[in-house]
Each structure stands twice: as C-alpha cells, then as structure tokens.
Amino acid sequence: MPQQLKTGGTATITYDPSLTILKGQTDIEGVYYLWKNYSWEAYDMNLSKKDGKLTTTIQLPGDAALLAWKFYTADTVDVGGDQFMYGYYILDKNGNNMPGANLGWGFLRGETTQDLAGIPSISNLGWKKINNQVVKMWINNELRYHPEESPNVNWFAAKALMRDSIPVSKDLIRENIRKELQFETIKGLNFKFTEEQLLKAYDVAENLLGDTVLMDTLKLMIKDRFKGGEFDREEALKQIWESTLHQKNPKDLTDSNKAFAKFLKKYPDEKFRDSYVQWDMFNHWYAGNFRALTYDDIMKRNDYSTLLEYLPHTPYSYLGTYFWHCVMIPYERGDVKPGFIYPIAQKIRAEIMGRDRTKADKVWSPNEWEEKKYSDYLMHWLDYAKILNDVNKSQEALALCDTLSQYYGVANADFNHFYMTMLEKGGRSSNEILTNIKAAVNKNTASPEMLAYLKNDYVKSHNGEQGYEAYLQNLKSASQMEAQKAQVLKKLIKTPAKPFAFDKLEGGRIDMAKDLKGKIVVIDLWATWCGPCKAAMPGMQMAVNKYKNDKSIQFLFLSTMEQDKNFIAKIKEFIKQKGYNFQVVLDEPNKESGLRDLAYATWGKTFQSSGIPWKLIFDKEGNVRWMSTGYFGSPSALCDEISYVIDYLESEK
C-alpha cells in the first residue's frame, strides 16, 4: 500500500494471512469499500496468490474519499485489529482530504453512528470504537475544511443529535440550513441543490427543529424544482392512505386500490429505488397500500394475477413478505395444492433472485448480495424446495437443498429431515446420507426418520440392536447435552395447578385428579390451526415412544381454543394422516370465551402465560414442575428436554 492514495490512481493491497487471524485458512476472499458521495459502496476483490500472500489492485475513482477493506473465510472475518481497522483516506490531486472524508471516517468508527454511515458486515466487529465527542470533532473538521459540504453534513449531525448521541446546537443547525439556502447565489461556488439535499433539510426542519417557517420555505423550493419527484410522491401516497382510513366502508378497497394503481403508474417504484425517503411513515403507507392492492383479489377470489402483475414494481424488501404470506402460510396449512401455488412461488422467487442492489444495498458487495438472497431467505427456499418435490421436480429440489446446506449446515432439524429425504430420493450414497445424519445427531437436530435410518444401518452392520443406544449417545456432543440438561433442570418449579377432567377424542372421560393420581403427566396444549404445535409433534411422538411401557407416565395432547365447528373431525383426520398414537383430549368449555379453552385459560392465569404450543409436566402430587412455550425446531432436542424432566421426577423420593 502506498503512503498516500490519490483519486484517479490505484491502491495495491498485499495480505499475508500468516500474520493475521486467518493464519492457516484457505478459500480467503476479500471485499473493499469506497466512501463516495456520503455512502459506502462495496466491491469484491480480484485476488491473486503468490508465495502464500494475496494481492489485489484497486482503481480509485475521482469521487472516492475513503477506502476500507476486509478479508474473510466462511466463519472468520479480519478487519484489522482490536485497536484499528483496515482503512485509508483518499486525497485529491493537491494532497488534500476529499469532501466527506472526515465525516465518513468519524461516523464509521463512532459508537452510535454506524447505522448512519457504517458498513454492516464490519461495523459490529471487535475493533475499538470512538466516543461521541470524538465523532463531533470529525464533524467540525469536515465543516472547517469543506464548508460547502454543509448541506450534506448537517443531516448526519442532526440525525445524531435526534438520538442524543452527540451534543450539537439546534440553533447552529437552523442557522446552517438558512446559510445553505444562499449557496446558489454565491459567485464561484457553482452549487446546485439536489432534491435529496433539500429533502434532508426538510427532514431536519420538521423532525428536529419543528420550524414550520423553514419547512414552508423548503417545501416551496422542492415542489417548484422537482415536480413529480420524491416529495410529490410522498404527498400523493399520504392522501391515498388517509382517504383509505376515512372511507365509509373500510373493507371496500376498490377506490383506494384504483388510486394506488394510478399512483404506481405515475411514480413507478423502479424510478425511485435509489431515492431518499424523508417520511418515516412512507414505507408503512406504501406497504399497506401495496398489500391492499395485491392481496384484495387473493382474499376475495383466490386470484393472484394482480400480485404477479405488480411483482416487478414491488420493493425488494416486500418480496420476502409476499412469499411468506402468499406461498408459505397457505402451503404449510394445506390450504392450497402444490400444483396451484408452484408457479406463483416460482415467479416471486425469480423476482427476488433477479433483483440488483439499490443504492442502500451497495454496502454489500455483488457476491455478498447474491449470498444474502439465500441467507436471508432460508425458510422461504426450504418451503420452495418442498413444493418442487411435490410437483415432481425432485432433482431441482435436491439441487436447491445442496445449496441451502451450505447455509443451514445441520442447525435446522426440519431442513435436515427434508434433505435426507431428497438425498435418498436422488439416489445419493448411503455414506453421504449417514454423514449428514451423524452430524445432525451430534448437534441434536435429528428427526425420528433420520434416527430410524441410522438405527437400520447399525442393525445391518452389527447384526442386531445390541449396543445401539450407547452408539447413539456417543454420536452426541456430551458437553452440549450436559448444557441442555442443566438448562432444562434449571427451570424446574413446584406450583400446584387445578386438575381438570377432559373428554377423550375417541369417547369417554379422563380425570386428572382420579384417573392420573400418582402419575407423572405430560400435557401438550395445541390446536389444529397452530403450525408450531404440529411441527413439534414428531419430537413428542419420540417421547411417547420412549416411555410407552412406563405405566407411571401419561401423555395428554390437549386440544384447546379451536374455533372451527368441525374441529373434532379435523383432529381425527390429522392424527390419522400423521400416524400418531397420542391420547388426544379436548379442553373444557369456557363460558367467558365461548371456546373450549377453560384449562388453558385457568393455567394461563396461574402461571401468567399465554400462547401455544405449551407443555406442562405435572409430578405425582399434581404440581406443575416444568413448562415450555413454543417450539425451537428440533424433534430430538424436544424429546431430550421431556426426558430430562421425567427422569428427574422419577428419581425423586
């Protein structure tokens, strides 16, 4: 690296991994960042390797003020040291700092300013940050050497002040804005306001200063100079939103949808993707109107054509929500057939994968951006792979799973199970399948089917089951299992709870106080409409199977808060379809709610708890000793949790 970097020149970076935290690592990549026009833009390094060192040469554009970089592998990032970071000033041809350099350098390293002018992938790493007084010094340095940058600097300073992180005078900011408005009249300055600069000044006048006179002045300038620009766009959308809220029939969205459709033609999203949005509520209004326009036909007529028509105009940040609402939820609930939802899922996915970075996204390099299209959408693409399999595109599903495995590893039991299914279906070797299963067992993220495959292989190779349980336990991480056990037992309580009598699904009654007296009782509160409840049931089936011969233990699967009048039939269909051998019972009628949720409501008041799935374990005296709300994704880990508590209670004297 030369002692000085200059615009229009080059910067050559040579990296010796043996002297850094990446010593001994392979597959090292690099990203560099240029601070240009008050924002960071990331680029992938083109690295060459010689004698164990990595080298890249970077062309420095004429508007770049700072250069920063990082080197990284799959699990480690090197941004410098704990006292500094890899970064340099870029000087102009006269050897002076470029405009914006001081502010960018200060905000990048500030304790509380990095979200305003930081780099997400390096800002939160371990190098030493500077305090707010030092950041203020960098702001003052910027204005001292480049007073003409006040229209850009003021907004950053004001944003910092609004969060009380840096003491800056409001009067000074107001006076600076008034001076800035005269810049265009100064001979030789050759200054012309952009709409973004005026919008940011308006933002400060409104949200920090509350200066209506200054707001009116700025508004007139913006509307006069930038007709059909961002300010007009935001005002037009606000009018649509307010008319929607105040219409006589709020469920009839016809008029507001027509108005929003016209709005999108006049202000197409793709034209404004790099624009500065001044109103915090704008994105809320935009998302609300966009969903109303595209979801209305789906809700009323199961018609997705409007959604698909507007996909190219949809902000990138909404696309994942569309996939979740319009694909994942109906697919997971079984409300739509895979063949129907597949082309819709395919089009939304194609839109996500085809989008390029906007100005705000350029803090991620092109390679990082493509990676984010997977890492940010893992659950989405897992469901998409399942849909592909359902529509007889199993090879495409397997190829997608191969890619997803690079991000999931073996941390997600649902993915592990589906990946094993695809590996089998795709004719992959048993060695590859067993390697994945053993890695999942080690992390306690295996499904019952994975354990069955593992056991079957063991029986074949050992001519029987003898020694299998010890073999299985040896595959698990002893330290992880001990930590999980300690965490579970740490939550043990001893609280009396009212016993109930319940109707059994197959007929008859079961009374906790009489029929289950002296038993350990595991109760799983669930509902057919609850996705996490049903997702947890494979793990609960493992626990039921484990203790099926122990007569001192009773599992009850308590159906609660059902609203469908045919819920009993739905329960029977679900249990039969899944092949569960559960003792399902029905919650008691509750006069207050009008639902069968009396036990849920009563115990909820006792323990100040709400939500399902909710698991309660009662000891032989009828006290609740342990409870857990939610499901954390691993059948084997859930089975172990239940087992730790049962075994502990059985050992009590």
Side-chain angles (χ1 to χ4, degrees):
M1 177 71 72
Q3 287 186 341
Q4 287 189 343
L5 302 181
K6 290 194 174 183
T7 58
T10 60
T12 298
I13 301 172
T14 300
Y15 183 71
D16 186 349
S18 68
L19 304 177
T20 74
I21 59 174
L22 299 185
K23 181 179 180 180
Q25 299 270 17
T26 57
D27 299 324
I28 297 173
E29 303 287 346
V31 172
Y32 68 94
Y33 306 88
L34 293 173
W35 174 251
K36 304 186 300 179
N37 299 316
Y38 294 90
S39 63
W40 289 100
E41 185 167 350
Y43 305 82
D44 296 297
M45 287 186 183
N46 183 15
L47 292 168
S48 60
K49 187 174 183 180
K50 184 177 181 181
D51 299 329
K53 297 178 181 179
L54 301 171
T55 301
T56 189
T57 298
I58 300 166
Q59 183 68 43
L60 303 175
D63 56 352
L66 296 171
L67 170 67
W69 64 90
K70 70 177 180 184
F71 292 95
Y72 65 96
T73 61
D75 54 8
T76 308
V77 180
D78 180 14
V79 295
D82 58 358
Q83 297 297 316
F84 66 96
M85 63 176 295
Y86 297 135
Y88 269 76
Y89 274 70
I90 301 172
L91 308 180
D92 64 19
K93 293 178 181 180
N94 297 318
N96 299 316
N97 291 344
M98 289 286 290
N102 284 311
L103 182 135
W105 189 243
F107 272 58
L108 173 64
R109 297 159 59 232
E111 292 174 333
T112 59
T113 58
Q114 292 166 15
D115 64 319
L116 295 173
I119 302 171
S121 61
I122 70 173
S123 288
N124 294 322
L125 298 179
W127 43 272
K128 188 175 181 180
K129 313 299 189 297
I130 59 177
N131 65 42
N132 296 327
Q133 287 295 333
V134 179
V135 173
K136 183 179 178 181
M137 177 198 74
W138 289 109
I139 295 173
N140 290 334
N141 284 347
E142 184 64 52
L143 293 173
R144 180 179 300 114
Y145 296 109
H146 294 283
E148 76 282 359
E149 291 302 304
S150 178
N152 297 310
V153 175
N154 248 344
W155 181 82
F156 285 96
K159 282 292 182 181
L161 174 59
M162 278 189 265
R163 62 182 58 174
D164 296 321
S165 63
I166 299 176
V168 181
S169 167
K170 290 185 180 182
D171 290 337
L172 177 61
I173 290 177
R174 180 184 289 104
E175 185 59 29
N176 282 345
I177 293 176
R178 295 195 179 281
K179 288 180 179 178
E180 291 162 12
L181 297 181
Q182 305 303 314
F183 277 13
E184 293 179 337
T185 65
I186 300 175
K187 291 183 179 180
L189 192 55
N190 196 27
F191 181 85
K192 208 74 173 167
F193 276 109
T194 65
E195 186 180 19
E196 179 173 332
Q197 287 171 328
L198 291 174
L199 284 170
K200 286 182 173 180
Y202 187 94
D203 180 6
V204 173
E206 179 181 30
N207 295 309
L208 175 63
L209 305 178
D211 190 329
T212 56
V213 174
L214 186 55
M215 288 167 59
D216 288 341
T217 300
L218 289 163
K219 181 178 179 178
L220 287 172
M221 288 180 67
I222 297 168
K223 291 181 74 65
D224 179 59
R225 298 182 182 201
F226 302 98
K227 290 180 172 61
E230 181 60 43
F231 194 93
D232 286 348
R233 177 179 180 241
E234 295 185 31
E235 281 199 324
L237 183 62
K238 184 179 181 181
Q239 290 175 3
I240 296 172
W241 181 257
E242 289 178 344
S243 66
T244 303
L245 291 178
H246 295 104
Q247 64 187 24
K248 292 181 179 179
N249 183 4
K251 291 184 179 180
D252 184 2
L253 300 173
T254 304
D255 290 341
S256 59
N257 283 347
K258 287 181 179 178
F260 188 61
K262 290 181 180 179
F263 168 88
L264 289 176
K265 288 181 180 179
K266 186 173 182 180
Y267 304 102
D269 175 74
E270 50 269 37
K271 177 183 174 182
F272 291 89
R273 281 180 184 163
D274 285 338
S275 66
Y276 170 75
V277 176
Q278 55 143 348
W279 286 338
D280 290 339
M281 288 300 294
F282 177 83
N283 288 326
H284 173 70
W285 300 331
Y286 199 89
N289 278 288
F290 224 110
R291 285 197 295 267
L293 173 65
T294 53
Y295 289 10
D296 198 31
D297 286 342
I298 296 172
M299 299 297 291
K300 290 178 178 177
R301 293 174 287 278
N302 201 33
D303 180 0
Y304 286 73
S305 60
T306 304
L307 170 70
L308 299 179
E309 177 187 351
Y310 283 97
L311 273 183
H313 312 292
T314 304
Y316 179 79
S317 60
Y318 301 173
L319 291 171
T321 302
Y322 279 3
F323 196 94
W324 173 37
H325 287 171
C326 302
V327 176
M328 295 171 68
I329 291 176
Y331 172 72
E332 291 175 6
R333 289 195 313 210
D335 295 341
V336 293
K337 294 185 181 299
F340 172 81
I341 206 66
Y342 164 66
I344 297 159
Q346 183 186 39
K347 287 182 170 110
I348 300 176
R349 172 174 157 80
E351 191 66 38
I352 291 173
M353 300 305 291
R355 285 292 179 90
D356 198 1
R357 301 174 299 165
T358 65
K359 180 180 178 181
D361 299 321
K362 288 183 178 178
V363 290
W364 308 98
S365 75
N367 286 345
E368 289 177 316
W369 181 245
E370 295 307 311
E371 295 271 332
K372 281 175 65 62
K373 291 177 182 177
Y374 283 98
S375 61
D376 290 354
Y377 296 96
L378 290 178
M379 294 175 61
H380 302 67
W381 302 155
L382 175 54
D383 266 13
Y384 184 67
K386 291 177 181 179
I387 293 170
L388 287 171
N389 182 53
D390 289 341
V391 296
N392 299 316
K393 295 181 179 291
S394 58
Q395 287 302 316
E396 194 175 337
L398 176 55
L400 179 54
C401 285
D402 285 336
T403 300
L404 294 178
S405 69
Q406 300 171 36
Y407 300 90
Y408 270 119
V410 292
N412 183 282
D414 186 26
F415 173 75
N416 296 340
H417 169 68
F418 183 71
Y419 192 25
M420 184 199 78
T421 303
M422 289 295 95
L423 290 170
E424 279 192 284
K425 196 170 185 177
R428 298 284 181 87
S429 71
S430 59
N431 284 338
E432 181 179 0
I433 296 171
L434 286 167
T435 297
N436 279 281
I437 291 175
K438 290 175 183 178
V441 170
N442 180 259
K443 296 297 184 183
N444 210 7
T445 53
S447 69
E449 292 81 1
M450 296 171 74
L451 295 175
Y453 189 103
L454 181 68
K455 185 174 183 179
N456 186 55
D457 176 78
Y458 181 91
V459 170
K460 283 182 180 178
S461 59
H462 291 79
N463 297 316
E465 295 184 16
Q466 187 175 357
Y468 172 73
E469 286 302 323
Y471 166 75
L472 179 63
Q473 293 304 313
N474 285 335
L475 288 176
K476 297 181 179 182
S477 166
S479 60
Q480 181 178 324
M481 297 300 290
E482 284 301 317
Q484 182 190 11
K485 182 177 181 179
Q487 190 66 25
V488 169
L489 297 183
K490 185 179 178 181
K491 295 180 179 178
L492 286 173
I493 57 176
K494 194 170 186 178
T495 305
K498 181 180 177 178
F500 283 87
F502 302 113
D503 290 333
K504 295 191 286 187
L505 183 66
E506 69 277 14
R509 297 271 288 175
I510 188 167
D511 190 322
M512 292 177 65
K514 296 178 181 178
D515 302 323
L516 304 181
K517 185 177 181 180
K519 291 188 175 186
I520 295 170
V521 181
V522 181
I523 297 184
D524 185 355
L525 291 93
W526 72 290
T528 56
W529 48 261
C530 171
C533 298
K534 294 188 284 188
M537 286 185 169
M540 292 304 294
Q541 183 66 72
M542 291 172 67
V544 169
N545 292 345
K546 182 175 181 178
Y547 294 99
K548 65 182 178 180
N549 296 321
D550 191 333
K551 303 302 181 185
S552 67
I553 299 165
Q554 177 68 55
F555 286 80
L556 296 179
F557 291 80
L558 178 59
S559 166
T560 188
M561 295 188 289
E562 293 283 6
Q563 300 184 40
D564 192 313
K565 63 181 180 180
N566 298 317
F567 78 92
I568 291 178
K570 290 181 70 174
I571 293 173
K572 289 180 177 179
E573 181 184 358
F574 171 72
I575 296 296
K576 181 180 179 180
Q577 180 188 13
K578 296 296 183 180
Y580 294 138
N581 58 325
F582 293 162
Q583 177 59 73
V584 178
V585 295
L586 311 179
D587 205 343
E588 289 290 277
N590 184 349
K591 292 181 180 179
E592 290 185 11
S593 67
L595 301 173
R596 298 192 70 143
D597 67 352
L598 186 60
Y600 168 78
T602 302
W603 292 336
K605 290 178 182 177
T606 300
F607 296 102
Q608 297 295 299
S609 181
S610 64
I612 54 175
W614 187 21
K615 293 166 182 60
L616 303 171
I617 299 182
F618 292 74
D619 64 18
K620 296 176 181 180
E621 285 72 45
N623 300 304
V624 172
R625 302 300 303 277
W626 182 84
M627 59 184 182
S628 174
T629 304
Y631 174 57
F632 302 103
S634 170
S636 57
L638 175 57
C639 178
D640 285 340
E641 285 184 343
I642 301 297
S643 300
Y644 294 144
V645 179
I646 290 175
D647 294 346
Y648 178 87
L649 295 180
E650 285 196 308
S651 70
E652 280 189 328
K653 295 181 181 178

